[in-house]
């Protein structure tokens, strides 16, 4: 179910950071068809050799993304195995991860943020229709393909990246550190990963987007993070009550009570970006 790419057709360029058990690099792949050589800019995601045992899960994540195609899902070209190296070859998305983009202090408008949330909701709805669980929705995995320019009225364009190594393969501490994105039921038993968990993560991700990429519960240690769930706490609500309501509906501790994707999309579409809201939708109170 995978396109195998020859190692010799890949070229590594600069390092772009790392994920859970992975390192990412900018690079290029060379294809030859009908006698013509094509060089494509790619993102090379290498699984750490020490975590070689996760390679099935690593490729499972990628194969999930390559079985289906949707405009807001990252394109995975294939995989390359070279000795102990396992490499996933993905499309290169120009502006990178949204958390870093927002942190770099780009001031973006409320309607820009709403656009991004709607695009993520449509990707989630598509995955739900295909009965596919992502398992790692967060702004780190939301890639910005087009900046959009509010003064020119052109809107941003985002793509949801692969979930990486499955949360079921990660240690307890790695899962704890994903609080508040990881749904509470997953903490109890990672096998509980369901579509409902993606909705919880969606809520935390929308909170991030409207909080300019500041991570919720930033700097909290694992003990405090665990207590956050044990005492059924919620993230600080946005002053924009309709937005805060949607986020808290998604971050409902009882998974069965979380809204359907259709309801999420309906609520996002009904969030009016009237002047009043834009002028007064100040950022959530920080904890
Ligand atoms: N599939 C992907 C994933 N990440 C990027 C990316 C682009 C960029 N300009 N800076 C970055 N810094 C870290 C990652 C990244 C691109 N494509």
């Amino acid at each position: 179910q995978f396109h195998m790419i020859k190692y010799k057709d890949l070229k590594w360029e600069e390092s772009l950071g790392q994920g859970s058990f992975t390192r990412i690099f900018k690079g290029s792949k060379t294809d030859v068809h009908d006698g013509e050589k094509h060089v494509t800019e790619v993102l090379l995601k290498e699984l750490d050799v020490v975590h070689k045992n996760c390679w099935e899960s690593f490729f499972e994540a990628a194969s999930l993304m390559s079985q289906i195609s949707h405009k807001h899902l990252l394109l995975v070209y294939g995989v390359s195995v070279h000795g102990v190296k396992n490499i996933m070859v993905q499309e290169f998305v120009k502006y990178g991860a949204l958390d870093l983009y927002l942190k770099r202090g780009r001031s973006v408008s409320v309607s820009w943020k709403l656009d991004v949330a709607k695009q993520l909701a449509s990707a989630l709805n598509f995955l739900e229709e295909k009965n596919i669980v992502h398992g790692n929705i967060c702004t780190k995995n939301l890639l910005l393909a087009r900046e959009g320019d509010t003064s020119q009225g052109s809107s941003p364009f985002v793509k949801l990246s692969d979930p990486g190594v499955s949360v079921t393969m990660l240690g307890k501490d790695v899962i704890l550190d994903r609080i508040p994105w990881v749904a509470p039921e997953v903490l109890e038993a990672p096998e509980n990963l369901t579509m409902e968990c993606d909705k919880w993560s969606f809520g935390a991700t929308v909170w991030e987007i409207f909080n300019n990429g500041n991570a919720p519960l930033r700097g909290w240690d694992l003990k405090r993070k665990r207590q956050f769930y044990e005492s059924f706490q919620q993230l600080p609500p946005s002053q924009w009550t309709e937005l805060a309501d949607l986020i808290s509906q998604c971050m409902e501790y009882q998974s069965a009570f979380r809204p359907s994707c259709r309801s999420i999309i309906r609520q996002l579409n009904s969030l009016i970006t009237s002047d009043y809201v834009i002028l007064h939708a100040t950022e959530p109170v920080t904890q």
Side-chain angles (χ1 to χ4, degrees):
Q1 81 273 22
F2 246 132
H3 178 233
M4 296 303 288
I5 296 168
K6 291 190 189 64
Y7 188 76
K8 68 171 180 53
D9 294 337
L10 296 173
K11 196 161 74 65
W12 268 254
E13 285 154 29
E14 70 266 30
S15 160
L16 289 174
Q18 60 264 332
S20 301
F21 305 170
T22 59
R23 250 182 290 279
I24 53 180
F25 300 84
K26 189 161 185 305
S28 61
K29 77 176 169 82
T30 307
D31 305 273
V32 179
H33 46 240
D34 17 308
E36 273 175 22
K37 198 170 94 126
H38 288 255
V39 180
T40 314
E41 206 180 32
V42 295
L43 193 284
L44 298 167
K45 201 168 186 180
E46 251 178 53
L47 179 66
D48 291 346
V49 173
V50 290
H51 295 111
K52 195 174 167 351
N53 59 318
C54 293
W55 70 272
E56 295 95 323
S57 168
F58 178 69
F59 286 150
E60 171 68 30
S63 79
L64 170 149
M65 304 293 285
S66 66
Q67 274 156 17
I68 50 177
S69 77
H70 183 271
K71 60 182 180 174
H72 292 306
L73 289 183
L74 184 77
L75 180 61
V76 174
Y77 294 116
V79 293
S80 182
V81 179
H82 181 75
V84 288
K85 281 192 160 197
N86 292 296
I87 302 126
M88 190 194 310
V89 186
Q90 310 179 339
E91 77 174 291
F92 184 79
V93 179
K94 191 166 185 324
Y95 298 96
L98 192 63
D99 65 324
L100 295 176
Y101 184 84
L102 292 173
K103 277 187 197 114
R104 255 178 246 128
R106 294 284 195 295
S107 68
V108 288
S109 68
V110 168
S111 56
W112 190 98
K113 295 172 183 173
L114 217 42
D115 262 350
V116 167
K118 287 176 185 174
Q119 292 175 27
L120 175 56
S122 78
L124 226 51
N125 187 52
F126 178 75
L127 288 174
E128 184 177 67
E129 282 172 359
K130 301 283 176 193
N131 213 14
I132 288 178
V133 181
H134 185 277
N136 195 4
I137 311 275
C138 57
T139 56
K140 271 189 186 56
N141 282 332
L142 211 44
L143 303 166
L144 191 62
R146 192 177 64 217
E147 283 191 286
D149 174 346
T150 30
S151 59
Q152 306 299 325
S154 78
S155 54
F157 197 89
V158 290
K159 293 185 167 239
L160 180 60
S161 179
D162 68 287
V165 170
S166 160
V167 72
T168 53
M169 302 291 286
L170 301 176
K172 188 78 175 179
D173 280 8
V174 177
I175 302 177
L176 274 173
D177 201 39
R178 287 190 179 180
I179 290 177
W181 291 272
V182 65
E185 64 270 19
V186 175
L187 210 61
E188 300 321 311
E191 309 71 52
N192 282 347
L193 197 67
T194 65
M195 231 88 62
E196 306 317 311
C197 305
D198 283 341
K199 289 162 194 167
W200 174 285
S201 310
F202 175 80
T205 303
V206 171
W207 190 94
E208 279 187 279
I209 293 167
F210 280 85
N211 210 4
N212 297 325
N214 291 324
L217 315 188
R218 183 177 47 190
W220 286 29
D221 63 30
L222 298 188
K223 188 164 164 292
R224 275 188 77 191
K225 282 191 166 188
R226 177 190 276 283
Q227 278 162 355
F228 182 83
Y229 279 2
E230 281 168 355
S231 44
F232 301 102
Q233 288 175 40
Q234 288 291 338
L235 294 177
S238 165
Q239 317 242 340
W240 186 0
T241 42
E242 290 82 353
L243 181 77
D245 290 348
L246 176 59
I247 291 172
S248 56
Q249 282 172 45
C250 293
M251 299 182 82
E252 158 64 51
Y253 278 85
Q254 300 195 54
S255 59
F257 296 170
R258 291 168 203 156
S260 67
C261 284
R262 304 208 55 69
S263 164
I264 290 171
I265 291 171
R266 220 179 4 260
Q267 293 186 59
L268 281 170
N269 288 329
S270 69
L271 284 179
I272 38 154
T273 46
S274 72
D275 292 352
Y276 170 77
V277 160
I278 285 182
L279 287 173
H280 299 78
T282 49
E283 300 317 328
V285 288
T286 41
Q287 61 274 13

